[in-house]
Structures are given as C-alpha cells and as structure tokens.
Amino acid sequence: MQEMITQVRRFNRLVTRRVGALDERYLTRGRSLGAARMLWEIGARGEEVRRLRARLGLDSGRASRLLRGLEADGLVELRPADGDARVRVAHLTARGRSEHAVLDRLSDDLARGTLAPLSARQRQRLVTAMAEVERLLTASAVTIETTDPEHPDARQCLRAYLDELNARSPTPYDPAAGVSAEPHEFRAPLGAFVVARLGGEAVGCGAVKHPPRRPAEIKRMWVSDRARGLGLGRRLLETLETTAIASGATRLRLETNRTLTEAIGRYRSTGYEEVAPFNHEPFADHWFEKVVDRSTA
Amino acid sequence: MQEMITQVRRFNRLVTRRVGALDERYLTRGRSLGAARMLWEIGARGEEVRRLRARLGLDSGRASRLLRGLEADGLVELRPADGDARVRVAHLTARGRSEHAVLDRLSDDLARGTLAPLSARQRQRLVTAMAEVERLLTASAVTIETTDPEHPDARQCLRAYLDELNARSPTPYDPAAGVSAEPHEFRAPLGAFVVARLGGEAVGCGAVKHPPRRPAEIKRMWVSDRARGLGLGRRLLETLETTAIASGATRLRLETNRTLTEAIGRYRSTGYEEVAPFNHEPFADHWFEKVVDRSTA
DNA sequence: CACATTCTCTGACATAGATCAGACAATGCA
DNA sequence: TGCATTGTCTGATCTATGTCAGAGAATGTG
C-alpha cells in the first residue's frame, strides 16, 4: 500500500507542478488568472452570474469586479435574466467570443505540444493512460452519503430510476403496485437511503429496509449514465449491506429486472444466490438472497 | 489527432483543478502556499537559500521574507554556509522537522484518500496508469537542442558516455585511438552536437559529422540512466538524421559496441543494415549503414 | 590592494485575491 | 401591503505575491 501511496504522491506532484504551471502561464494572456477563468466559464452561450460564482468558488464582490473588468475591456456584456431581473447573465461580445476562440486554440496548442515529442505509439499509450487516470480519479471523487429519502437529490434519483425502468420495460412500472416503499421505511432506524454525488450532482442512489428480525431488503439501486463503469454499483451495494448488517440483519434480499444484466452479475459475484420469489413485485424477474456470516461482518 | 488533444485537455483540466486544489487546501496548515512550499523544499538535510530560490522560482526579496517568517515561527534556522559566508543555508529546527513530518503524513493521507474509495482492482489500475502518465509526460518534457560540443552540458554528457563505455567494455576505451572526433567536426557546417535536457539537467546527447559528399557518421549517442525507457534514443537519432539529411547527406553510418543491445535493435528497426567495417574504431563490433531516400526526407 | 561579482537583505510599490459589511433593487410570501 | 429573501454591487481592509532598486558583506580577480 505504501508503494501505491508514493506513486500517487509522485504523480500529483509532477502533474500539478508541470501541467498546472504551464496552463496558467500560457492561457491568461495578460489577464489575471481569475479573469481568464471567468472568460472561459462564461462560454459561448452565456451564463448566469450566480452560477459563475458557484462554479469558480468566488465571493460575490470578487465576481462582480472581475466581470466589470471584462466588461470594461469590451469582452463581456451583462444583462438581466429573462423572468428574474435580480439575476444577471454574462454574455460574450463579438470580441469576447473571438478571445474565447483564441484561448481554445492556445489550449489545443498546449496539448499538441505535450504530444508532439512522442512517437505515435507513445502518444496512444499516454492518451489511454490519461483516460484511465481520469476515469478512476472521477470514480474516486464520488461520495456516498446517507440522505433523507425526501431530499431533493433523493427524489431526483428516484425519478431517474423510475424513468429508466419504464424505458427498459415494455409494461409501465407502477411503484404503488409492488412491495411497499414508503419514505419512513428508508429512514433510520428501519432502513437507509444513500445518494452518490459527483461534484455536487447526484449520480446514483440505493435504499435498504432492515426491520428488526426480518431479512433486509435492498431496493432502488440506480446509477446515472454519466457515472457508469466507475464501480459505483458495487460501492452502493456495499454501503447498504454494511448499514443493514450494522443494524442486525443476517439475511439480505433483493429482486431485480432481467434487463439489468450488469447488476445481476454483480449480485452473483458478491455472494447472492438466486432464490424463489419472496414477494410479488410485478416488475421483478430474479430474486436473490445472501446470508451474512456475522463473524466476518 | 483532435480526439487525442481533447483527451489531453480534459485530463489537464481535471487534474489541475481537482488534484491541485485539494493539495493546496490541505497542506498549507494556516501558512501561505509559498511558505509551505519553502518549508517542504528545505527538507530534513537543509538547503542553500540560493538553491531554494532557484527551485521555487522566487525573487530574492520574497525568498528572504518567507524565510524570515519561518524563522520567526521557530521552524527554520539560517546559518552561513561552510566555506562561503555569503551563502546562507536554511535548516529545519526540531519544530520544523516535526512540522515537516506532519506535512508528510498529511500528504500520505491525501493520497490514501484518493485510493480509499476504489476497489483493489481499481487501485492497481489507477496506480499503473499514473505511472504510465508520469513516465510519458516526463518523456514529453525532454527537450533536444543543438549545443556546442564544448558547452559544459555537452562535456558532461561525453564524460558520462566514456565512463559508461569503460564500465561495459573489458578493455579501456581510448577516444584518441579510433576515428577522429574533434569538436569542430561536430559544429555547423560540418556536423552537429545535440543535448537532451530534462528540467535543466542534461540527460542525453548525440553527435553527427556530415562532411560534404561523404556519408554522414553518427557518434556519441548516450542516454542517462534516469532517462532510459523514454524513447529518447530514437528521438536523438531522428534529430541527428534530420540534421544530416538537411545538410545534404544521402548515406548515414554508425558503429556500435556489442554490449549496447537496445541501441542495435533500434538501428535495425529504423532502417539501418549491418555492413562490413568501414573504419578501424577499436571499440566497435557492429557497423551499420542506411541509405536515405531523398524523396521521403 | 582596487574593483567586480555574488549572495542576501530591506524598502518601496503594485496587483491579485479573500473577506466582511452594507446598500439597493427585484422577488416571493404571508 | 409589509417584510424577508435573493442576487448584485460597492467600499474597505488585509494578506499573498511579484518586481525593482539599492545597501552591505563576503569573495574572487587582476
């Protein structure tokens, strides 16, 4: 493990010093770093000031002054938003757009400069390795937290979950038709609802009911398209199992639809065995159960 | 190619924002980023102020003030250097060393935090990909420049080259014994000497003689241990060939020692064919020649 | 020895960036 | 309608950083 940690640290050091420093030197073009980033984030279609503030992590004062600076240079126009005149929207002027295009080209040149000294084979390997690092760092940045099932993020995940079931299944899914799933069943002490988030955005969820002296039931496992392939399903499942086991569950159950082949494979590989239907969930095609060995939990 | 460039840009953005920002937030511990870096760079064995300045890219005034700040906090002691009282050496005090250890531990924790959410398999893949990115970004950062054969960097490379030949060969190598290799033969217009540098340090060299209407001769190809495996030999060879061809050479020659198996493979794979000895270089075991197709050059 | 050079330190000044308090207008809500 | 909230802007202040000029000590060189 220490070797891995050392590698991560060496990577971080190299990459922040070399890549970061280069980028900042070449892409500011006489402006301050803050102003350059602001210009970049406004983008071709304009952006609300409050969102720019949030994305760049700026104080309202600083954001306002940066925007006024860009406005004075004729790169940006500020207009009230349609519908809410408190909100201001920053748009790039013609000059601003051409400046944005210059930054885009410089950014391309910089990346090209990284690839240029390498052979075709090395380039291919670098790009592949970068994609892998990016994917896994993204996976690592996903947080999983217990969240109230009526929290906006939870609701949003549930809506996405149902939409997906309906899209996959020929018969429309009716959440009221099957096993009960009231919010209070997914709150402590009877259960839990967890949400996975990536940079503030909810990208997955899962729920578990673990009433005393009954098998725990895992439900509502969902992972957003943009977080597929990050091992998030496995993490959600582990989190829910841990919660249930900590609450005394010794038997875990879940049912799933036949279209969710990836999930079915995961259940089998993590110790679930297919069993006879234990409920009348109309949408389910497979029922799984896993008996927990308390000594290893 | 555009896809590759896009991947590099996406990687750079992710990594500088996510990794860089995290590092800076957690590792400053109430100090300014400059002071934290200074503390880190002084290290356990102390360091000359002028070298700290160079390494951190600081103005002498700023460096002096940062050091005075650390001294006031009891973390650093400044003493004149042995032998030259103008030079000051910064040493960590006991408190400074313990603070350094704290930073080291936090840095470990940060890296551990990156790995923690991942499965064992994902960790292994991340670390492998990071090592690959690191290796290839390092390769990409190597510059190759024409350098006078009597430049200190060139001399240092040549010394290393001779040391290595002597270490590999049972009979000591005598540079005067074989084919002439006077500095002026490696200067324009008769030839060229190129040095590969990584972050200011010379890590490889190569030379070519290309007298008019005679086969060009490639000599003195050397790559430092710390730059092995970066494809640098190939780049040096290409640079020398390009120079020779641009000066009118149509036939390229080189000789090499049998112990340099990697180089021999490279020559064969880039179009060189083994020929009968064309000189009496006593150290050489193989002689190669490549005829240049001017139309593709 | 006279003089140039090297290294460090200090003063002076400018900009970038962070943070707080408060003003002001638009909006939402009871 | 009255009042709280939201979003933006301005003023004030502080720290961090970058840059330049010059002082002063130690050292090297003719």
Side-chain angles (χ1 to χ4, degrees), chain A residues 32-34 58-59 61-62 65 83-86:
Chain A
S32 76
L33 180 58
L58 294 175
D59 169 83
R62 174 124 184 79
R65 274 177 268 257
D84 188 341
R86 290 170 306 181

